[in-house]
Amino acid sequence: MALFSSAVFGLSGSFAKSLLETGWTPGAAVTARLTGAAIILAIPAVPALRGRWHQLKDNWLTILLFGLIGVAACQLFYFNAVERLSVGVALLLEYLAPVIIVLWLWAASRRRPKALTIAGTLLSLGGLVLVLDLTGAVKIDFVSVLWGIAAAVCLAIYFFITAKENDTLPPIVLASGGLLVGAAVMWLAAATGLLPMAFSTADTKLGPWVTPWWISLGGLIVLATVLAYVSGIVAARALGSKVASFVSLTEVLFAVIWAWLLLGELPGAIQLLGGVLIVGGVVLVRVDELRGTGDAAAPVPAPLDHANDVEPVP
């Protein structure tokens, strides 16, 4: 489920790029994406509540944080980062989130991560660098680097929120409510001039096909947002924030593959090697988690030793 979520999340870059090439601004694409997804998910979310509207009242803070930080702020900070940095550098900064999670759990529990977790962290980040294939001289803007780190913090908080066990709030309700909050924040940012908004109805190109603009937008909304967020929340609740965040690193690899298939951008051998390292790092972290939970003779873990024990959300 987590890999499926990463795969469909990885489609967002190809669909969005096809729209941006026709004159859409990033802010317009993201706002349309969140608005459409929020409307679609509201349809199954209402019956999922089964008339228990108090669930929204009881979990309003979780929904607000998910939409404000995990959805809207994360994307806003990322856009500020790419304004003066290359997309590769900005994406690398944002995907420091798994390292932030490991460090947070380390500081909160005062227990050093196990060797396999540390090795998996380093292996995954090394693979991420290879997948992004950052070559040549890259001019670094300090303020933009801070924006990228802020996006990474938001992404880490997103994993903590979605991984928190909550039997009173169905995943589809959390996704719908969070996307609705995120869309409202994006529209507010656009209204205040923070985000430029420009749309286009020109045809888009995906692979060998020239399609109407609404095909790319529909794929961005339905596949890369609706299915991606719902499956991601379900997976994170089963895996915990730490493992889920590491699996999410494969989104970069999937994004490269989709860009190859839909945009003709062929990945190189170094990027394929990076994908292998990312998967290897995920496996090491997951094995470390399973060893910790499967050893009956092991002492009872201290609070915050596992991701689902994190409370409250930072």
Side-chain angles (χ1 to χ4, degrees):
M1 184 70 75
L3 287 173
F4 172 79
S5 178
S6 292
V8 287
F9 260 129
L11 278 167
S12 63
S14 297
F15 284 131
K17 186 172 183 179
S18 67
L19 291 171
L20 297 178
E21 289 177 343
T22 65
W24 286 62
T25 59
V30 172
T31 302
R33 173 189 187 186
L34 300 184
T35 302
I39 294 174
I40 292 175
L41 282 177
I43 299 175
V46 172
L49 285 171
R50 299 177 182 177
R52 294 171 294 187
W53 297 100
H54 65 87
Q55 292 181 343
L56 297 178
K57 180 180 178 181
D58 296 340
N59 296 279
W60 69 269
L61 182 58
T62 298
I63 296 174
L64 179 64
L65 290 175
F66 176 72
L68 182 62
I69 300 177
V71 176
C74 188
Q75 296 192 40
L76 278 175
F77 293 160
Y78 175 73
F79 286 146
N80 282 328
V82 298
E83 186 176 2
R84 292 187 177 88
L85 294 176
S86 68
V87 173
V89 173
L91 191 60
L92 176 59
L93 290 172
E94 182 180 5
Y95 272 87
L96 287 172
V99 177
I100 293 175
I101 290 177
V102 170
L103 294 176
W104 169 260
L105 293 176
W106 182 3
S109 64
R110 293 182 174 83
R111 298 182 63 181
R112 184 177 63 85
K114 298 178 182 178
L116 284 181
T117 294
I118 295 176
T121 299
L122 297 177
L123 196 63
S124 293
L125 288 179
L128 184 59
V129 172
L130 294 181
V131 168
L132 293 173
D133 196 13
L134 302 175
T135 58
V138 179
K139 184 179 179 180
I140 301 297
D141 180 81
F142 180 71
V143 175
S144 296
V145 169
L146 294 180
W147 282 120
I149 295 175
V153 173
C154 290
L155 187 60
I157 295 175
Y158 161 82
F159 283 114
F160 276 118
I161 294 173
T162 56
K164 184 180 178 182
E165 293 179 341
N166 190 337
D167 296 332
T168 66
L169 189 65
I172 198 168
V173 176
L174 174 59
S176 177
L179 288 169
L180 183 61
V181 171
V185 171
M186 297 298 287
W187 281 112
L188 180 61
T192 56
L194 182 60
L195 279 181
M197 301 282 281
F199 303 87
S200 174
T201 57
D203 290 342
T204 59
K205 185 176 181 181
L206 292 171
W209 305 284
V210 176
T211 63
W213 63 272
W214 52 267
I215 295 293
S216 292
L217 182 60
L220 184 63
I221 293 173
V222 177
L223 296 177
T225 310
V226 173
L227 292 180
Y229 272 105
V230 173
S231 58
I233 292 173
V234 172
R237 289 186 176 182
L239 295 175
S241 59
K242 184 168 67 175
V243 176
S245 68
F246 274 87
V247 176
S248 74
L249 289 172
T250 59
E251 179 189 339
V252 182
L253 177 61
F254 282 117
V256 170
I257 295 175
W258 288 123
W260 170 35
L261 296 176
L262 299 177
L263 302 176
E265 299 176 356
L266 184 65
I270 190 172
Q271 292 174 311
L272 296 177
L273 174 61
V276 173
L277 295 182
I278 289 175
V279 174
V282 172
V283 170
L284 288 180
V285 174
R286 185 55 176 163
V287 168
D288 205 11
E289 289 253 325
L290 292 176
R291 287 177 59 185
T293 58
D295 187 2
V300 177
L304 302 180
D305 188 46
H306 294 283
N308 282 340
D309 295 332
V310 175
E311 191 172 2
V313 173

